[in-house]
């Protein structure tokens, strides 16, 4: 299906609030220019679709258009009156500012150029092209949340949220005098100091950060997070669904806690020490959520969606990447946040670090746990889509990185590009432009080694040692143990035919029988029946609280420590 163009006018929509602000903006600019041609006096022909659309927009109240978030820049009524006299009647009920673009002079020049010696049809086409340029060049720098939220008062803000804001603001300074000043602030002074209140008017940033739930619903209903949980990736319906709409200062923790309720963990043994890695680390969830809330387009009526599965979690926010950001440079470019006013406050109160560092932390925290690289490939111009996998692909890599980080001082720890380089080498991938300048450092630190005289590398012997310990137990491959455990997760009782089907194409039948017999010898299974009626169960005696994978591993470790290694 062809993706819907957000600039395309839809005659089926009858309410201004149902329309994209880009649609309204483009039509508004076209309306002003056509008004100069005298079209406002009823000279519109309904011959073609474009002109009939202008008729529709002439019927709209201009204050409705302005109130619907077109706070990009202004051209004064006096300036327009001089250049476009026919618009005076249209502007009588309007304030001094007509909102059109970030750059007053440039857009005025575009309008003047567009109306010279052109027919109505040519004029409209020219204006649409100018609007397209304006969208590409100016829109990413607009900040809707900095706009005044008319009729919003301090009483509409959550008092507990304001108190928490004050506490967090105080905690960012070690200066006792500054702490005392912040504590002495009235609520109004606190909001002014953080640029949430200007000229006695609260902006939309104050609403999303501190607003009461009912006021957020009233003024900005799309400012919410929806969590959908599904047990399987291919199912359409969700097993659980939650909508969270609250001040961001509370919403983040609420959302993280809700996701944690459905988050499992990967358990494994290393040198008889029980280890556990969460499917989705708390800090990863938090950073991904904050990125979605900060960089989303608040003029888009869609909410932030989180799709959670046992195998992965997806964060989807309306609005594409900020200007200049692509999937290829997301780790290297310092982006301009879409909502600078909100980002600025969150930095001042210590809620986030520098803009752009959230993505770095997500990559670092995911990769150092031996998981697949975070994936933005489903993103496009109208939404950002981040996918994070839960599976720990390589326990050895996790232990290798963990050991190295523990040896280093905080300022000397491996950064995201170091870890990404190790990840790419371990995966056998070509060194990317992001990481090619890190190989010399990693060679000097003896974390990688060169293969011969080539520019191909492999991880050091320390990784090999960790990998061997985590890839086999008592002579059994961990991947085989995991596959068998997953089979018993689905079936409490298993037949030999089930094992054959499990390893089909990977092992011959006699190899499978040998594997199962060896596991039986080591007390992993209980065997019942004979011949074709033989069934197998996991021997979970003394391990009733463990999952099947951990039971098998612990049984094998117990056998290994009480017997000499077999040599067959």
């Amino acid at each position: 299906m062809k993706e819907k163009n957000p600039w395309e006018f839809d005659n089926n929509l009858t309410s201004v609030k149902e329309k994209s602000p880009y649609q309204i903006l483009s039509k508004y600019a076209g309306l002003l220019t056509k008004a100069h041609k005298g079209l406002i006096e009823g000279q519109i022909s309904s011959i073609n679709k474009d002109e009939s659309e202008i008729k529709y927009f002439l019927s709209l109240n201009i204050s409705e258009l302005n109130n619907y978030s077109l706070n990009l820049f202004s051209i004064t009524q006096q300036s327009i009156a001089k250049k476009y006299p026919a618009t005076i009647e249209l502007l009588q009920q309007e304030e001094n500012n007509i909102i059109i673009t970030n750059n007053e002079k440039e857009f005025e020049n575009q309008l003047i150029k567009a109306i010279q010696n052109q027919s109505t049809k040519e004029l409209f086409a020219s204006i649409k092209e100018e609007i397209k340029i304006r969208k590409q060049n100016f829109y990413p720098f607009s900040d809707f949340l900095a706009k005044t939220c008319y009729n919003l008062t301090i009483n509409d803000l959550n008092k507990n949220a304001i108190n928490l804001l004050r506490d967090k603001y105080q905690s960012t300074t070690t200066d006792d005098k500054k702490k005392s000043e912040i504590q002495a602030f009235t609520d109004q002074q606190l909001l002014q100091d953080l640029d949430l209140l200007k000229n006695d008017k609260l902006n939309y940033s104050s609403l999303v950060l501190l607003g009461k739930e009912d006021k957020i619903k009233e003024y900005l209903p799309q400012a919410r997070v929806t969590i959908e949980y599904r047990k399987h990736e291919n199912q359409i319906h969700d097993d659980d669904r939650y909508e969270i709409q609250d001040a961001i200062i509370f919403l983040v923790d609420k959302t993280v806690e809700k996701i944690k309720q459905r988050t499992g963990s990967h358990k494994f043994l290393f040198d008889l020490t029980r280890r556990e890695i969460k499917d989705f680390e708390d800090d990863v969830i938090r950073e991904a959520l904050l990125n979605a809330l900060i960089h989303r387009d608040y003029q888009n009526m869609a909410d932030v969606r989180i799709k959670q599965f046992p195998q992965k979690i997806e964060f989807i926010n309306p609005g594409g990447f900020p200007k200049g950001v692509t999937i290829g440079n997301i780790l290297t470019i310092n982006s301009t946040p879409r909502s600078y006013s909100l980002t600025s406050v969150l930095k001042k109160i210590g809620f986030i670090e520098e803009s752009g560092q959230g993505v770095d932390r997500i990559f670092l925290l995911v990769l150092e746990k031996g998981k697949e690289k975070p994936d933005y490939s489903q993103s496009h111009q109208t939404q950002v889509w981040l996918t994070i996998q839960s599976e720990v692909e390589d326990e050895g890599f996790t232990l290798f990185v963990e050991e190295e980080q523990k040896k280093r001082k905080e300022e000397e720890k491996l950064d995201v590009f170091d870890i990404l380089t190790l990840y790419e080498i371990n995966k056998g991938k070509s060194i990317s432009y992001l990481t090619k300048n890190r190989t010399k450092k990693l060679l000097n630190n003896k974390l990688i080694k060169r293969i011969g005289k080539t520019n191909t590398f492999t991880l050091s012997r320390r990784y090999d040692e960790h990998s061997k310990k985590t890839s086999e137990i008592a002579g059994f491959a961990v991947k085989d143990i995991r596959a068998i455990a997953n089979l018993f997760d689905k079936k409490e009782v298993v037949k030999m035919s089930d094992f054959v089907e499990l390893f089909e194409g990977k092992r011959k039948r006699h190899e499978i029988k040998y594997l199962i017999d060896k596991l039986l010898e080591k007390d992993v299974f209980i065997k019942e029946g004979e011949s074709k009626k033989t069934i197998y169960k996991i021997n979970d005696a003394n391990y009733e609280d463990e999952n099947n994978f951990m039971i098998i591993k612990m049984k094998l470790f117990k056998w290994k420590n009480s017997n000499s290694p077999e040599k067959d």
Side-chain angles (χ1 to χ4, degrees):
M1 177 182 279
K2 183 179 179 182
E3 185 178 321
K4 183 172 176 59
N5 182 351
W7 287 75
E8 188 174 311
F9 185 81
D10 188 346
N11 283 308
N12 294 323
L13 301 179
T14 57
S15 165
V16 176
K17 291 186 178 180
E18 289 179 292
K19 299 177 184 302
S20 159
Y22 310 127
Q23 298 167 13
I24 296 175
L25 181 61
S26 63
K27 299 300 177 178
Y28 196 5
L31 170 61
L32 287 173
T33 312
K34 288 208 167 192
H36 172 71
K37 301 290 285 186
L39 297 174
I40 197 168
E41 298 171 359
Q43 299 174 20
I44 297 179
S45 166
S46 59
I47 296 174
N48 61 59
K49 178 184 174 184
D50 287 344
E51 293 180 347
S52 65
E53 291 169 9
I54 293 298
K55 273 187 177 180
Y56 172 82
F57 272 83
L58 285 174
S59 69
L60 296 177
N61 184 319
I62 292 182
S63 63
E64 282 187 275
L65 300 179
N66 280 343
N67 287 338
Y68 190 58
S69 76
L70 301 181
N71 189 18
L72 303 178
F73 203 82
S74 65
I75 298 177
T76 63
Q77 180 173 337
Q78 293 81 357
S79 176
I80 291 180
K82 290 177 183 178
K83 293 190 175 83
Y84 315 114
T87 64
I88 293 178
E89 180 181 348
L90 181 66
L91 303 176
Q92 282 179 346
Q93 57 185 329
E94 184 50 84
E95 299 176 355
N96 285 339
N97 292 334
I98 293 298
I99 299 165
I100 293 182
T101 178
N102 284 30
N103 189 317
E104 175 183 349
K105 283 297 177 187
E106 178 155 354
F107 198 81
E108 282 194 46
N109 291 337
Q110 290 171 356
L111 291 179
I112 293 169
K113 179 181 177 182
I115 65 176
Q116 290 176 342
N117 303 316
Q118 296 185 68
S119 68
T120 299
K121 188 173 182 179
E122 292 170 336
L123 171 64
F124 193 84
S126 178
I127 287 298
K128 290 186 86 171
E129 181 60 29
E130 300 294 355
I131 289 291
K132 182 179 178 182
I133 294 172
R134 185 211 62 79
K135 176 191 173 189
Q136 294 172 342
N137 293 338
F138 300 131
Y139 170 68
F141 298 103
S142 65
D143 184 0
F144 164 65
L145 294 186
K147 182 187 174 185
T148 297
C149 183
Y150 293 101
N151 300 321
L152 184 70
T153 69
I154 289 183
N155 290 333
D156 296 327
L157 304 182
N158 187 318
K159 179 63 176 177
N160 291 332
I162 294 175
N163 291 338
L164 181 58
L165 178 77
R166 187 190 304 275
D167 292 343
K168 288 186 174 295
Y169 195 18
Q170 281 184 295
S171 68
T172 61
T173 180
T174 56
D175 186 334
D176 291 337
K177 183 179 179 181
K178 179 65 175 176
K179 283 180 182 287
S180 298
E181 287 178 359
I182 296 172
Q183 185 60 42
F185 281 159
T186 64
D187 289 349
Q188 288 87 341
Q189 290 171 329
L190 176 66
L191 297 172
Q192 286 173 340
D193 195 60
L194 292 170
D195 294 325
L196 295 170
L197 180 70
K198 293 184 179 181
N199 301 320
D200 295 325
K201 300 287 186 182
L202 290 164
N203 57 25
Y204 278 99
S205 282
S206 69
L207 173 69
V208 299
L209 183 62
L210 306 168
K212 293 178 179 177
E213 184 178 341
D214 61 328
K215 292 302 175 182
I216 296 173
K217 286 182 179 178
E218 178 181 351
Y219 292 110
L220 212 61
Q222 64 269 35
R224 64 179 175 268
V225 172
T226 299
I227 306 172
E228 302 169 0
Y229 178 81
R230 294 177 175 84
K231 294 178 182 177
H232 306 286
E233 293 182 40
N234 58 355
Q235 71 184 60
I236 297 174
H237 70 278
D238 46 62
D239 296 301
D240 278 306
R241 182 184 179 89
Y242 311 96
E243 287 190 2
I244 303 176
Q245 190 157 44
D246 205 344
I248 285 177
I249 206 164
F250 295 138
L251 178 144
V252 173
D253 287 342
K254 283 185 177 181
T255 305
V256 171
E257 286 303 313
K258 184 61 70 174
I259 292 172
K260 283 169 63 177
Q261 291 175 12
R262 292 282 193 174
T263 298
S265 63
H266 174 89
K267 300 172 183 176
F268 64 102
L269 292 174
F270 179 71
D271 286 344
L272 295 181
T273 302
R274 183 189 179 97
R275 305 297 301 272
E276 185 172 356
I277 298 174
K278 290 183 179 180
D279 289 346
F280 313 113
E281 298 290 331
D282 295 357
D283 287 345
V284 172
I285 298 170
R286 180 183 174 84
E287 293 292 347
L289 175 60
L290 279 168
N291 269 6
L293 294 171
I294 291 169
H295 295 295
R296 68 152 292 169
D297 179 0
Y298 280 92
Q299 297 176 97
N300 189 309
M301 296 304 291
D303 52 3
V304 169
R305 281 189 300 148
I306 299 173
K307 295 184 176 183
Q308 185 179 2
F309 308 85
Q311 306 84 4
K312 66 180 180 180
I313 190 167
E314 299 173 332
F315 295 83
I316 307 161
N317 65 267
F321 288 119
K323 184 180 179 181
V325 178
T326 66
I327 294 173
N329 67 14
I330 195 167
L331 284 171
T332 58
I333 193 167
N334 291 321
S335 63
T336 301
R338 178 175 277 112
S339 301
Y340 179 80
S341 56
L342 176 62
T343 305
S344 177
V345 176
L346 293 177
K347 280 195 283 189
K348 287 178 181 177
I349 66 173
F351 221 65
I352 62 171
E353 298 180 11
E354 291 301 313
S355 179
Q357 288 189 356
V359 175
D360 291 15
R361 274 183 57 76
I362 292 169
F363 270 73
L364 179 65
L365 292 170
V366 169
L367 291 176
E368 70 180 7
K369 296 300 182 183
K371 299 181 181 181
E372 182 64 51
K373 184 170 68 173
D375 179 16
Y376 281 95
S377 63
Q378 294 187 75
S379 303
H380 52 73
Q381 63 180 358
T382 62
Q383 68 180 17
V384 173
W385 191 314
L386 167 63
T387 301
I388 298 170
Q389 302 293 335
S390 65
E391 181 185 0
V392 177
E393 294 186 318
D394 190 339
E395 296 164 354
F397 185 82
T398 305
L399 297 167
F400 171 62
V401 173
E402 181 183 284
E403 179 187 71
E404 185 62 28
Q405 295 288 51
K406 282 182 177 178
K407 294 190 300 186
R408 294 170 176 258
K409 297 178 181 178
E410 191 62 36
E411 65 274 12
E412 297 174 348
K413 289 188 182 296
L414 301 175
D415 65 18
V416 63
F417 297 106
D418 296 326
I419 304 293
L420 184 57
T421 307
L422 295 173
Y423 167 84
E424 289 179 345
I425 290 172
N426 191 39
K427 284 279 190 175
K429 296 183 177 181
S430 300
I431 300 296
S432 68
Y433 78 96
L434 291 174
T435 57
K436 63 182 181 182
N437 63 341
R438 296 301 175 111
T439 53
K440 184 177 180 180
K441 170 186 173 181
L442 297 175
L443 279 168
N444 290 337
N445 283 265
K446 298 182 179 179
L447 293 173
I448 62 174
K449 53 188 178 184
R450 192 185 300 274
I451 299 176
K453 296 181 179 180
T454 68
N455 284 324
T456 304
F457 304 91
T458 185
L459 299 187
S460 71
R461 184 175 298 174
R462 278 181 284 164
Y463 165 75
D464 295 337
E465 293 169 355
H466 288 305
S467 181
K468 184 178 180 180
K469 289 180 180 180
T470 57
S471 62
E472 62 87 21
I473 305 172
F476 295 89
V478 168
K479 62 180 180 180
D480 290 342
I481 296 171
R482 191 181 299 280
I484 291 170
N486 289 339
L487 177 62
F488 277 98
D489 287 341
K490 299 172 184 176
K491 296 183 176 185
E492 187 174 344
V493 173
V494 172
K495 297 179 180 180
M496 181 58 72
S497 59
D498 296 318
F499 290 123
V500 172
E501 183 180 351
L502 177 67
F503 291 105
E504 185 178 4
K506 300 175 183 177
R507 291 179 180 271
K508 295 178 180 179
R509 187 180 180 91
H510 73 274
E511 293 175 331
I512 298 170
K513 187 176 185 306
Y514 179 82
L515 171 64
I516 302 307
D517 286 345
K518 285 296 178 183
L519 289 171
L520 190 63
E521 285 177 16
K522 292 166 179 57
D523 203 29
V524 170
F525 299 139
I526 297 173
K527 179 181 175 182
E528 297 178 0
E530 295 294 334
S531 190
K532 292 184 178 181
K533 293 184 179 181
T534 301
I535 59 172
Y536 299 85
K537 297 179 182 179
I538 292 286
N539 184 4
D540 60 0
N542 303 320
Y543 298 105
E544 290 84 356
D545 296 331
E546 298 291 349
N547 61 44
N548 289 323
F549 181 60
M550 286 301 295
I551 291 172
I552 298 174
K553 292 185 75 171
M554 293 171 81
K555 287 273 187 181
L556 292 176
F557 270 113
K558 182 179 179 180
W559 177 89
K560 180 180 179 181
N561 289 315
S562 60
N563 296 274
S564 300
E566 293 189 1
K567 300 181 180 181
D568 45 35

